[in-house]
Amino acid sequence: ALITTGVNNTLIGGLAGDNITTGASNIIIGSGIDAPSATASNQINIGGIDLRATAAKVWINFNMTTASITGSHGVSSITDGGVGNFTVSFTNNMANTAYAHFADAYDVNQNATLIVAHTTGTFAVGSAVVMGQTSAGAADDSAYVNYIVFGD
């Protein structure tokens, strides 16, 4: 194939990424290794392993008590929906709602905060709700919340 409009591709190895036609900012390493898609951008394939497919698309560490983000990737904002209820908004929408997500927390006050990653009704491509509750089921904010999303 011939790159027609793709730019900023890094291709290392004989015939590496020779299937790319319009994709941009791809990194393809290895002899004869192709990009997973000829037209997609921001793909990483090293030795035949599509690293973008195995990396977390979204992760965040945040504090529910102060509504502050400690560290994140792929998160545009968090919204406090009340005690134990936060919406995590993604920088980029997921391709579909068939993604996996997980949340956990640690409460320094030993309130046994449980964190549940869920959505209200159906999954959304641009955000998810993370809720905290005590072992008794009461809404609870935790100072140390971790949330991660895998998917397309």
Side-chain angles (χ1 to χ4, degrees):
L2 177 63
I3 297 176
T4 55
T5 59
V7 296
N8 299 323
N9 291 298
T10 302
L11 312 172
I12 301 173
L15 302 176
D18 68 337
N19 68 323
I20 297 173
T21 56
T22 59
S25 300
N26 296 296
I27 301 171
I28 311 299
I29 301 175
S31 180
I33 301 299
D34 285 329
S37 167
T39 58
S41 297
N42 301 310
Q43 303 171 96
I44 302 172
N45 189 337
I46 300 175
I49 300 170
D50 180 4
L51 297 179
R52 299 260 316 167
T54 60
K57 300 294 191 258
V58 173
W59 65 262
I60 183 172
N61 176 282
F62 69 101
N63 184 328
M64 285 181 154
T65 61
T66 61
S68 60
I69 297 173
T70 309
S72 69
H73 168 75
V75 173
S76 60
S77 66
I78 57 174
T79 303
D80 189 344
V83 176
N85 184 319
F86 273 79
T87 298
V88 177
S89 296
F90 309 151
T91 302
N92 298 304
N93 284 349
M94 302 298 287
N96 55 54
T97 58
Y99 57 84
H101 59 165
F102 174 79
D104 75 347
Y106 167 74
D107 192 334
V108 71
N109 295 322
Q110 302 301 314
N111 289 335
T113 300
L114 304 172
I115 297 294
V116 180
H118 86 296
T119 59
T120 54
T122 59
F123 274 78
V125 295
S127 66
V129 174
V130 178
M131 300 188 75
Q133 63 185 34
T134 66
S135 57
D140 187 41
D141 283 343
S142 175
Y144 306 98
V145 178
N146 301 292
Y147 175 66
I148 191 166
V149 177
F150 292 92
D152 291 332

Short mmCIF file of all heavy atoms in Angstrom, two decimals, residues 38-104:
data_model
loop_
_atom_site.label_atom_id
_atom_site.label_comp_id
_atom_site.label_asym_id
_atom_site.label_seq_id
_atom_site.Cartn_x
_atom_site.Cartn_y
_atom_site.Cartn_z
N ALA A 38 -5.32 0.10 8.20
CA ALA A 38 -4.61 0.91 7.22
C ALA A 38 -5.00 2.38 7.29
O ALA A 38 -4.28 3.24 6.79
CB ALA A 38 -4.88 0.37 5.82
N THR A 39 -6.13 2.69 7.91
CA THR A 39 -6.63 4.06 7.89
C THR A 39 -6.72 4.70 9.28
O THR A 39 -6.97 5.89 9.38
CB THR A 39 -8.03 4.09 7.25
OG1 THR A 39 -8.91 3.24 7.99
CG2 THR A 39 -7.97 3.64 5.79
N ALA A 40 -6.52 3.93 10.34
CA ALA A 40 -6.64 4.48 11.70
C ALA A 40 -5.37 5.23 12.09
O ALA A 40 -4.31 5.05 11.50
CB ALA A 40 -6.93 3.38 12.70
N SER A 41 -5.49 6.05 13.10
CA SER A 41 -4.35 6.83 13.62
C SER A 41 -4.04 6.42 15.05
O SER A 41 -4.86 5.82 15.74
CB SER A 41 -4.68 8.32 13.55
OG SER A 41 -4.85 8.72 12.22
N ASN A 42 -2.83 6.77 15.50
CA ASN A 42 -2.38 6.56 16.87
C ASN A 42 -2.33 5.09 17.27
O ASN A 42 -2.63 4.75 18.41
CB ASN A 42 -3.26 7.36 17.85
CG ASN A 42 -3.24 8.83 17.55
OD1 ASN A 42 -2.17 9.42 17.41
ND2 ASN A 42 -4.41 9.42 17.42
N GLN A 43 -1.94 4.23 16.36
CA GLN A 43 -1.79 2.80 16.65
C GLN A 43 -0.35 2.51 17.03
O GLN A 43 0.57 3.15 16.53
CB GLN A 43 -2.16 1.97 15.42
CG GLN A 43 -3.56 2.23 14.91
CD GLN A 43 -3.78 1.54 13.59
OE1 GLN A 43 -4.32 0.45 13.54
NE2 GLN A 43 -3.34 2.17 12.50
N ILE A 44 -0.15 1.52 17.88
CA ILE A 44 1.20 1.08 18.24
C ILE A 44 1.24 -0.43 18.06
O ILE A 44 0.47 -1.16 18.68
CB ILE A 44 1.56 1.44 19.70
CG1 ILE A 44 1.45 2.94 19.93
CG2 ILE A 44 2.96 0.93 20.03
CD1 ILE A 44 1.61 3.34 21.38
N ASN A 45 2.14 -0.91 17.20
CA ASN A 45 2.30 -2.33 16.97
C ASN A 45 3.79 -2.63 16.98
O ASN A 45 4.53 -2.18 16.11
CB ASN A 45 1.67 -2.74 15.64
CG ASN A 45 1.61 -4.25 15.47
OD1 ASN A 45 2.38 -4.98 16.08
ND2 ASN A 45 0.71 -4.71 14.63
N ILE A 46 4.22 -3.38 17.98
CA ILE A 46 5.63 -3.74 18.09
C ILE A 46 5.74 -5.25 18.01
O ILE A 46 5.22 -5.96 18.86
CB ILE A 46 6.24 -3.22 19.42
CG1 ILE A 46 6.14 -1.70 19.48
CG2 ILE A 46 7.69 -3.68 19.55
CD1 ILE A 46 6.60 -1.09 20.79
N GLY A 47 6.36 -5.72 16.95
CA GLY A 47 6.56 -7.15 16.77
C GLY A 47 5.27 -7.94 16.64
O GLY A 47 5.21 -9.10 17.01
N GLY A 48 4.22 -7.30 16.15
CA GLY A 48 2.95 -7.99 15.97
C GLY A 48 2.01 -7.89 17.15
O GLY A 48 0.93 -8.48 17.14
N ILE A 49 2.38 -7.15 18.18
CA ILE A 49 1.52 -6.97 19.34
C ILE A 49 0.93 -5.57 19.29
O ILE A 49 1.65 -4.57 19.32
CB ILE A 49 2.29 -7.16 20.66
CG1 ILE A 49 2.88 -8.57 20.72
CG2 ILE A 49 1.40 -6.90 21.85
CD1 ILE A 49 3.85 -8.79 21.86
N ASP A 50 -0.38 -5.49 19.17
CA ASP A 50 -1.08 -4.20 19.13
C ASP A 50 -1.19 -3.68 20.56
O ASP A 50 -2.09 -4.06 21.30
CB ASP A 50 -2.46 -4.37 18.50
CG ASP A 50 -3.25 -3.07 18.43
OD1 ASP A 50 -2.70 -2.01 18.80
OD2 ASP A 50 -4.42 -3.13 18.01
N LEU A 51 -0.26 -2.81 20.94
CA LEU A 51 -0.21 -2.33 22.33
C LEU A 51 -1.39 -1.44 22.70
O LEU A 51 -1.78 -1.37 23.85
CB LEU A 51 1.11 -1.61 22.58
CG LEU A 51 2.35 -2.49 22.44
CD1 LEU A 51 3.61 -1.68 22.68
CD2 LEU A 51 2.29 -3.67 23.38
N ARG A 52 -1.97 -0.75 21.74
CA ARG A 52 -3.12 0.10 22.06
C ARG A 52 -4.31 -0.74 22.51
O ARG A 52 -5.13 -0.29 23.29
CB ARG A 52 -3.50 0.95 20.85
CG ARG A 52 -2.42 1.89 20.38
CD ARG A 52 -2.56 3.26 20.81
NE ARG A 52 -3.90 3.76 20.68
CZ ARG A 52 -4.29 4.88 21.23
NH1 ARG A 52 -3.45 5.60 21.90
NH2 ARG A 52 -5.51 5.30 21.10
N ALA A 53 -4.42 -1.96 22.01
CA ALA A 53 -5.55 -2.81 22.36
C ALA A 53 -5.45 -3.33 23.79
O ALA A 53 -6.45 -3.72 24.39
CB ALA A 53 -5.65 -3.98 21.39
N THR A 54 -4.24 -3.35 24.36
CA THR A 54 -4.07 -3.90 25.69
C THR A 54 -3.89 -2.83 26.77
O THR A 54 -3.85 -3.15 27.94
CB THR A 54 -2.86 -4.85 25.72
OG1 THR A 54 -1.69 -4.12 25.36
CG2 THR A 54 -3.05 -6.02 24.78
N ALA A 55 -3.79 -1.59 26.38
CA ALA A 55 -3.56 -0.50 27.33
C ALA A 55 -4.90 0.06 27.83
O ALA A 55 -5.90 0.05 27.11
CB ALA A 55 -2.76 0.61 26.68
N ALA A 56 -4.89 0.56 29.04
CA ALA A 56 -6.09 1.20 29.57
C ALA A 56 -6.37 2.47 28.76
O ALA A 56 -5.47 3.26 28.52
CB ALA A 56 -5.90 1.55 31.04
N LYS A 57 -7.60 2.65 28.37
CA LYS A 57 -7.99 3.85 27.63
C LYS A 57 -8.21 5.02 28.59
O LYS A 57 -8.01 6.17 28.24
CB LYS A 57 -9.26 3.62 26.83
CG LYS A 57 -9.15 2.50 25.80
CD LYS A 57 -8.18 2.84 24.70
CE LYS A 57 -8.28 1.87 23.56
NZ LYS A 57 -7.27 0.87 23.49
N VAL A 58 -8.66 4.68 29.79
CA VAL A 58 -8.95 5.70 30.82
C VAL A 58 -8.47 5.16 32.16
O VAL A 58 -8.70 3.99 32.48
CB VAL A 58 -10.47 5.96 30.90
CG1 VAL A 58 -10.81 6.88 32.06
CG2 VAL A 58 -11.01 6.51 29.59
N TRP A 59 -7.81 6.00 32.94
CA TRP A 59 -7.55 5.68 34.34
C TRP A 59 -7.55 6.98 35.13
O TRP A 59 -7.23 8.04 34.61
CB TRP A 59 -6.26 4.89 34.55
CG TRP A 59 -4.98 5.58 34.20
CD1 TRP A 59 -4.28 5.46 33.05
CD2 TRP A 59 -4.24 6.51 35.02
NE1 TRP A 59 -3.15 6.25 33.09
CE2 TRP A 59 -3.11 6.91 34.29
CE3 TRP A 59 -4.44 7.05 36.30
CZ2 TRP A 59 -2.17 7.81 34.79
CZ3 TRP A 59 -3.51 7.96 36.80
CH2 TRP A 59 -2.39 8.31 36.05
N ILE A 60 -7.92 6.87 36.38
CA ILE A 60 -7.94 8.05 37.24
C ILE A 60 -7.77 7.63 38.70
O ILE A 60 -8.24 6.57 39.11
CB ILE A 60 -9.25 8.85 37.07
CG1 ILE A 60 -9.23 10.13 37.92
CG2 ILE A 60 -10.46 7.99 37.38
CD1 ILE A 60 -10.39 11.07 37.67
N ASN A 61 -7.08 8.45 39.44
CA ASN A 61 -7.02 8.36 40.88
C ASN A 61 -7.58 9.69 41.37
O ASN A 61 -7.11 10.75 40.97
CB ASN A 61 -5.57 8.18 41.36
CG ASN A 61 -5.48 8.18 42.87
OD1 ASN A 61 -5.53 9.24 43.48
ND2 ASN A 61 -5.36 7.01 43.44
N PHE A 62 -8.65 9.62 42.17
CA PHE A 62 -9.25 10.88 42.63
C PHE A 62 -9.75 10.77 44.05
O PHE A 62 -9.85 9.69 44.63
CB PHE A 62 -10.35 11.35 41.68
CG PHE A 62 -11.61 10.50 41.65
CD1 PHE A 62 -12.75 10.90 42.34
CD2 PHE A 62 -11.67 9.35 40.89
CE1 PHE A 62 -13.90 10.15 42.28
CE2 PHE A 62 -12.83 8.60 40.81
CZ PHE A 62 -13.95 9.00 41.52
N ASN A 63 -10.04 11.93 44.62
CA ASN A 63 -10.49 12.07 46.00
C ASN A 63 -11.94 12.51 45.99
O ASN A 63 -12.25 13.61 45.52
CB ASN A 63 -9.60 13.10 46.70
CG ASN A 63 -9.92 13.25 48.17
OD1 ASN A 63 -11.05 13.11 48.60
ND2 ASN A 63 -8.90 13.58 48.94
N MET A 64 -12.83 11.67 46.48
CA MET A 64 -14.25 12.01 46.53
C MET A 64 -14.55 13.10 47.56
O MET A 64 -15.47 13.89 47.38
CB MET A 64 -15.11 10.79 46.85
CG MET A 64 -15.28 9.81 45.73
SD MET A 64 -16.32 8.43 46.27
CE MET A 64 -16.99 7.89 44.69
N THR A 65 -13.77 13.15 48.64
CA THR A 65 -14.07 14.11 49.70
C THR A 65 -13.76 15.54 49.29
O THR A 65 -14.40 16.48 49.76
CB THR A 65 -13.31 13.76 51.00
OG1 THR A 65 -11.91 13.80 50.75
CG2 THR A 65 -13.70 12.38 51.50
N THR A 66 -12.76 15.72 48.40
CA THR A 66 -12.40 17.06 47.95
C THR A 66 -12.74 17.29 46.47
O THR A 66 -12.48 18.37 45.95
CB THR A 66 -10.89 17.31 48.15
OG1 THR A 66 -10.15 16.37 47.36
CG2 THR A 66 -10.50 17.21 49.61
N ALA A 67 -13.28 16.27 45.81
CA ALA A 67 -13.62 16.34 44.37
C ALA A 67 -12.41 16.77 43.55
O ALA A 67 -12.49 17.62 42.67
CB ALA A 67 -14.80 17.27 44.13
N SER A 68 -11.26 16.15 43.85
CA SER A 68 -10.03 16.51 43.14
C SER A 68 -9.38 15.29 42.50
O SER A 68 -9.42 14.19 43.05
CB SER A 68 -9.05 17.19 44.09
OG SER A 68 -8.71 16.32 45.15
N ILE A 69 -8.78 15.52 41.34
CA ILE A 69 -8.08 14.48 40.61
C ILE A 69 -6.62 14.47 41.04
O ILE A 69 -5.95 15.50 40.98
CB ILE A 69 -8.20 14.71 39.09
CG1 ILE A 69 -9.66 14.63 38.65
CG2 ILE A 69 -7.34 13.72 38.33
CD1 ILE A 69 -9.90 15.01 37.20
N THR A 70 -6.13 13.31 41.45
CA THR A 70 -4.73 13.17 41.86
C THR A 70 -3.85 12.87 40.64
O THR A 70 -2.75 13.37 40.53
CB THR A 70 -4.59 12.05 42.90
OG1 THR A 70 -5.54 12.27 43.94
CG2 THR A 70 -3.21 11.99 43.48
N GLY A 71 -4.34 12.03 39.75
CA GLY A 71 -3.64 11.68 38.52
C GLY A 71 -4.63 11.03 37.57
O GLY A 71 -5.60 10.43 38.01
N SER A 72 -4.39 11.17 36.25
CA SER A 72 -5.35 10.58 35.31
C SER A 72 -4.77 10.50 33.91
O SER A 72 -3.78 11.14 33.59
CB SER A 72 -6.64 11.40 35.27
OG SER A 72 -6.42 12.66 34.66
N HIS A 73 -5.45 9.72 33.08
CA HIS A 73 -5.18 9.64 31.65
C HIS A 73 -6.53 9.38 30.97
O HIS A 73 -7.29 8.51 31.39
CB HIS A 73 -4.22 8.51 31.32
CG HIS A 73 -4.14 8.21 29.86
ND1 HIS A 73 -3.47 9.04 28.98
CD2 HIS A 73 -4.67 7.23 29.11
CE1 HIS A 73 -3.59 8.54 27.76
NE2 HIS A 73 -4.32 7.45 27.82
N GLY A 74 -6.84 10.17 29.96
CA GLY A 74 -8.09 9.97 29.23
C GLY A 74 -9.32 10.47 29.95
O GLY A 74 -10.44 10.12 29.59
N VAL A 75 -9.13 11.31 30.97
CA VAL A 75 -10.25 11.86 31.74
C VAL A 75 -10.29 13.36 31.53
O VAL A 75 -9.29 14.06 31.69
CB VAL A 75 -10.08 11.56 33.25
CG1 VAL A 75 -11.14 12.27 34.07
CG2 VAL A 75 -10.12 10.06 33.50
N SER A 76 -11.48 13.87 31.16
CA SER A 76 -11.61 15.31 30.98
C SER A 76 -12.06 16.00 32.26
O SER A 76 -11.68 17.13 32.53
CB SER A 76 -12.57 15.63 29.84
OG SER A 76 -13.85 15.10 30.10
N SER A 77 -12.87 15.30 33.07
CA SER A 77 -13.35 15.92 34.32
C SER A 77 -14.07 14.88 35.17
O SER A 77 -14.39 13.79 34.70
CB SER A 77 -14.31 17.07 34.01
OG SER A 77 -15.50 16.57 33.40
N ILE A 78 -14.30 15.26 36.42
CA ILE A 78 -15.18 14.50 37.30
C ILE A 78 -16.26 15.44 37.79
O ILE A 78 -16.03 16.64 37.94
CB ILE A 78 -14.42 13.86 38.49
CG1 ILE A 78 -13.68 14.91 39.32
CG2 ILE A 78 -13.49 12.78 38.01
CD1 ILE A 78 -13.04 14.36 40.60
N THR A 79 -17.43 14.89 38.01
CA THR A 79 -18.56 15.69 38.49
C THR A 79 -19.11 15.06 39.76
O THR A 79 -19.44 13.87 39.78
CB THR A 79 -19.68 15.76 37.43
OG1 THR A 79 -19.12 16.27 36.22
CG2 THR A 79 -20.82 16.64 37.90
N ASP A 80 -19.19 15.84 40.82
CA ASP A 80 -19.71 15.38 42.10
C ASP A 80 -21.23 15.40 42.04
O ASP A 80 -21.85 16.45 41.93
CB ASP A 80 -19.20 16.30 43.21
CG ASP A 80 -19.52 15.78 44.60
OD1 ASP A 80 -20.38 14.89 44.74
OD2 ASP A 80 -18.89 16.29 45.56
N GLY A 81 -21.82 14.21 42.12
CA GLY A 81 -23.28 14.10 42.08
C GLY A 81 -23.88 13.91 43.45
O GLY A 81 -25.03 13.49 43.57
N GLY A 82 -23.13 14.21 44.50
CA GLY A 82 -23.61 14.02 45.87
C GLY A 82 -22.72 13.01 46.57
O GLY A 82 -21.77 12.47 46.00
N VAL A 83 -23.01 12.73 47.81
CA VAL A 83 -22.18 11.82 48.60
C VAL A 83 -22.10 10.46 47.90
O VAL A 83 -23.12 9.86 47.56
CB VAL A 83 -22.75 11.65 50.02
CG1 VAL A 83 -21.94 10.62 50.80
CG2 VAL A 83 -22.75 12.98 50.76
N GLY A 84 -20.87 10.03 47.67
CA GLY A 84 -20.65 8.71 47.08
C GLY A 84 -21.04 8.57 45.62
O GLY A 84 -21.17 7.45 45.13
N ASN A 85 -21.20 9.67 44.90
CA ASN A 85 -21.65 9.59 43.52
C ASN A 85 -20.85 10.55 42.65
O ASN A 85 -20.97 11.77 42.79
CB ASN A 85 -23.14 9.92 43.45
CG ASN A 85 -23.71 9.77 42.06
OD1 ASN A 85 -23.10 10.14 41.08
ND2 ASN A 85 -24.93 9.25 42.00
N PHE A 86 -20.04 9.99 41.76
CA PHE A 86 -19.23 10.81 40.86
C PHE A 86 -19.38 10.32 39.43
O PHE A 86 -19.43 9.11 39.19
CB PHE A 86 -17.74 10.77 41.24
CG PHE A 86 -17.37 11.79 42.26
CD1 PHE A 86 -17.64 11.58 43.60
CD2 PHE A 86 -16.75 12.97 41.89
CE1 PHE A 86 -17.31 12.54 44.54
CE2 PHE A 86 -16.41 13.94 42.82
CZ PHE A 86 -16.69 13.72 44.16
N THR A 87 -19.42 11.25 38.49
CA THR A 87 -19.38 10.91 37.08
C THR A 87 -17.98 11.22 36.57
O THR A 87 -17.49 12.33 36.78
CB THR A 87 -20.42 11.71 36.27
OG1 THR A 87 -21.72 11.37 36.75
CG2 THR A 87 -20.32 11.38 34.78
N VAL A 88 -17.36 10.23 35.95
CA VAL A 88 -16.04 10.40 35.33
C VAL A 88 -16.29 10.58 33.83
O VAL A 88 -16.84 9.70 33.18
CB VAL A 88 -15.14 9.19 35.58
CG1 VAL A 88 -13.80 9.35 34.85
CG2 VAL A 88 -14.92 8.97 37.07
N SER A 89 -15.92 11.75 33.30
CA SER A 89 -16.09 12.04 31.87
C SER A 89 -14.79 11.75 31.14
O SER A 89 -13.72 12.16 31.58
CB SER A 89 -16.50 13.49 31.66
OG SER A 89 -17.76 13.72 32.26
N PHE A 90 -14.90 11.03 30.01
CA PHE A 90 -13.73 10.63 29.24
C PHE A 90 -13.33 11.75 28.28
O PHE A 90 -14.18 12.45 27.73
CB PHE A 90 -14.02 9.38 28.42
CG PHE A 90 -14.62 8.24 29.23
CD1 PHE A 90 -15.46 7.33 28.62
CD2 PHE A 90 -14.34 8.07 30.57
CE1 PHE A 90 -16.01 6.27 29.32
CE2 PHE A 90 -14.88 7.02 31.30
CZ PHE A 90 -15.72 6.12 30.66
N THR A 91 -12.03 11.91 28.06
CA THR A 91 -11.53 12.89 27.10
C THR A 91 -12.04 12.57 25.70
O THR A 91 -12.47 13.45 24.97
CB THR A 91 -9.99 12.90 27.10
OG1 THR A 91 -9.54 13.19 28.43
CG2 THR A 91 -9.43 13.92 26.13
N ASN A 92 -11.97 11.29 25.33
CA ASN A 92 -12.48 10.82 24.04
C ASN A 92 -13.51 9.73 24.28
O ASN A 92 -13.30 8.86 25.13
CB ASN A 92 -11.34 10.26 23.18
CG ASN A 92 -10.30 11.31 22.86
OD1 ASN A 92 -10.61 12.35 22.31
ND2 ASN A 92 -9.06 11.03 23.22
N ASN A 93 -14.59 9.78 23.54
CA ASN A 93 -15.61 8.75 23.67
C ASN A 93 -15.02 7.39 23.35
O ASN A 93 -14.15 7.25 22.49
CB ASN A 93 -16.78 9.01 22.71
CG ASN A 93 -17.69 10.11 23.20
OD1 ASN A 93 -17.59 10.56 24.33
ND2 ASN A 93 -18.58 10.54 22.34
N MET A 94 -15.51 6.36 24.01
CA MET A 94 -15.19 5.00 23.65
C MET A 94 -15.89 4.72 22.32
O MET A 94 -16.88 5.36 21.98
CB MET A 94 -15.68 4.03 24.72
CG MET A 94 -15.10 4.31 26.11
SD MET A 94 -13.32 4.14 26.21
CE MET A 94 -13.16 2.38 26.14
N ALA A 95 -15.38 3.75 21.55
CA ALA A 95 -15.97 3.42 20.24
C ALA A 95 -17.37 2.84 20.39
O ALA A 95 -18.22 3.00 19.51
CB ALA A 95 -15.08 2.44 19.49
N ASN A 96 -17.62 2.18 21.52
CA ASN A 96 -18.92 1.57 21.77
C ASN A 96 -19.07 1.39 23.28
O ASN A 96 -18.19 1.78 24.04
CB ASN A 96 -19.05 0.24 21.02
CG ASN A 96 -17.92 -0.71 21.36
OD1 ASN A 96 -17.66 -1.01 22.53
ND2 ASN A 96 -17.21 -1.18 20.34
N THR A 97 -20.16 0.80 23.69
CA THR A 97 -20.41 0.63 25.12
C THR A 97 -19.99 -0.74 25.64
O THR A 97 -20.28 -1.09 26.76
CB THR A 97 -21.90 0.85 25.44
OG1 THR A 97 -22.67 -0.07 24.67
CG2 THR A 97 -22.32 2.28 25.13
N ALA A 98 -19.27 -1.50 24.83
CA ALA A 98 -18.82 -2.84 25.23
C ALA A 98 -17.44 -2.77 25.87
O ALA A 98 -16.53 -3.51 25.50
CB ALA A 98 -18.82 -3.77 24.02
N TYR A 99 -17.27 -1.87 26.83
CA TYR A 99 -15.98 -1.75 27.50
C TYR A 99 -16.07 -2.34 28.91
O TYR A 99 -17.15 -2.50 29.47
CB TYR A 99 -15.50 -0.29 27.55
CG TYR A 99 -16.43 0.70 28.19
CD1 TYR A 99 -16.44 0.88 29.58
CD2 TYR A 99 -17.27 1.49 27.42
CE1 TYR A 99 -17.28 1.81 30.17
CE2 TYR A 99 -18.11 2.43 28.01
CZ TYR A 99 -18.11 2.58 29.38
OH TYR A 99 -18.94 3.51 29.96
N ALA A 100 -14.91 -2.67 29.45
CA ALA A 100 -14.83 -3.18 30.81
C ALA A 100 -14.28 -2.09 31.71
O ALA A 100 -13.38 -1.35 31.31
CB ALA A 100 -13.93 -4.41 30.85
N HIS A 101 -14.83 -1.98 32.91
CA HIS A 101 -14.29 -1.00 33.83
C HIS A 101 -14.29 -1.55 35.25
O HIS A 101 -15.02 -2.47 35.58
CB HIS A 101 -15.03 0.34 33.74
CG HIS A 101 -16.49 0.28 34.02
ND1 HIS A 101 -17.22 1.41 34.26
CD2 HIS A 101 -17.38 -0.73 34.09
CE1 HIS A 101 -18.49 1.10 34.47
NE2 HIS A 101 -18.60 -0.19 34.37
N PHE A 102 -13.43 -0.96 36.08
CA PHE A 102 -13.24 -1.44 37.45
C PHE A 102 -12.87 -0.25 38.32
O PHE A 102 -12.16 0.65 37.90
CB PHE A 102 -12.11 -2.49 37.48
CG PHE A 102 -11.76 -2.92 38.87
CD1 PHE A 102 -12.54 -3.84 39.54
CD2 PHE A 102 -10.64 -2.40 39.51
CE1 PHE A 102 -12.23 -4.23 40.83
CE2 PHE A 102 -10.32 -2.78 40.80
CZ PHE A 102 -11.11 -3.71 41.46
N ALA A 103 -13.36 -0.28 39.55
CA ALA A 103 -13.01 0.77 40.51
C ALA A 103 -12.74 0.13 41.87
O ALA A 103 -13.30 -0.91 42.21
CB ALA A 103 -14.14 1.78 40.63
N ASP A 104 -11.85 0.77 42.62
CA ASP A 104 -11.64 0.36 44.00
C ASP A 104 -11.27 1.60 44.81
O ASP A 104 -11.06 2.67 44.26
CB ASP A 104 -10.58 -0.74 44.12
CG ASP A 104 -9.16 -0.24 43.94
OD1 ASP A 104 -8.97 0.90 43.49
OD2 ASP A 104 -8.22 -0.99 44.24
#
